[in-house]
Amino acid sequence: IAFDATGTRLVAVSDNDAQRSLALRDTATGAVVQRLVVGKREITAAAFSPDGSRIAACDPNGVVKVWTLSPFAEIASWTADPEPRTLVFLGNDRIAIDSSVAPARMVSIWELASTPRLVQLLPPHRGPFVTLAAGGSALVTSDDERLRLWDRDGALVAESRAAHARFDRLVFTPT
């Protein structure tokens, strides 16, 4: 499940025997506003672009697809990292993908262009999460003892160490 930046829509994977789809729901009413049929593939992660005009999703094999919502159209498809756990937009034109391949997890940053291209690989991390700051301007990764804040271009902005702490979750809230 992923919420748009305004909190008025969410996207969730919907299953039935024949097809999988991404259901866009109005958060006030719960009503399905739009349904994006994605076929029989499992979806491991989905995200809205910061402006709410696009949705991206990926499957366990690392196939990433991006759609515009109005009008509904697939605008990009490529194979990224295997076993993606998290997918987030960095601005409206980049996507970061957290891959769970052992022994170390990697975060790759992809630029959406006529052909999506890999622009940055962040150093491996062992922590349980990658999360995106509000507005798509920053990315946080964790490992067993530190948090790292990256800008949308993959440059390290800050690092915080905490003795004997294990980071399991991180949530950004709008200010």
Side-chain angles (χ1 to χ4, degrees):
I1 294 177
F3 288 89
D4 71 0
T6 65
T8 60
R9 295 180 300 173
L10 67 85
V11 61
V13 176
S14 176
D15 287 324
N16 68 33
D17 292 336
Q19 295 283 338
R20 282 194 165 85
S21 63
L22 296 172
L24 275 65
R25 295 185 177 271
D26 180 295
T27 57
T29 66
V32 174
V33 176
Q34 192 170 4
R35 187 172 301 277
L36 314 173
V37 176
V38 296
K40 295 184 179 185
R41 292 181 177 236
E42 179 182 351
I43 300 295
T44 56
F48 277 96
S49 62
D51 68 3
S53 68
R54 298 175 179 179
I55 287 183
C58 56
D59 72 17
N61 297 319
V63 175
V64 180
K65 293 186 181 274
V66 180
W67 298 271
T68 57
L69 297 178
S70 182
F72 172 64
E74 183 179 302
I75 59 167
S77 178
W78 74 96
T79 301
D81 309 312
E83 300 180 37
R85 294 171 43 127
T86 310
L87 170 139
V88 293
F89 276 88
L90 292 172
N92 293 310
D93 61 345
R94 290 191 176 188
I95 291 179
I97 301 168
D98 171 28
S99 175
S100 61
V101 175
R105 292 176 39 203
M106 299 292 291
V107 174
S108 57
I109 298 176
W110 296 80
E111 185 172 73
L112 298 176
S114 57
T115 302
R117 67 180 184 92
L118 179 65
V119 294
Q120 182 83 20
L121 274 175
L122 301 184
H125 63 284
R126 298 180 305 273
F129 69 85
V130 172
T131 193
L132 180 67
S137 62
L139 183 73
V140 172
T141 61
S142 74
D143 63 21
D144 289 342
E145 58 188 41
R146 73 185 137 238
L147 296 173
R148 291 182 177 137
L149 177 66
W150 309 86
D151 70 13
R152 68 177 301 279
D153 295 319
L156 184 63
V157 175
E159 182 175 54
S160 173
R161 292 185 182 269
H164 308 294
R166 183 168 188 262
F167 302 106
D168 289 328
R169 302 276 185 268
L170 179 71
V171 177
F172 286 95
T173 57
T175 55

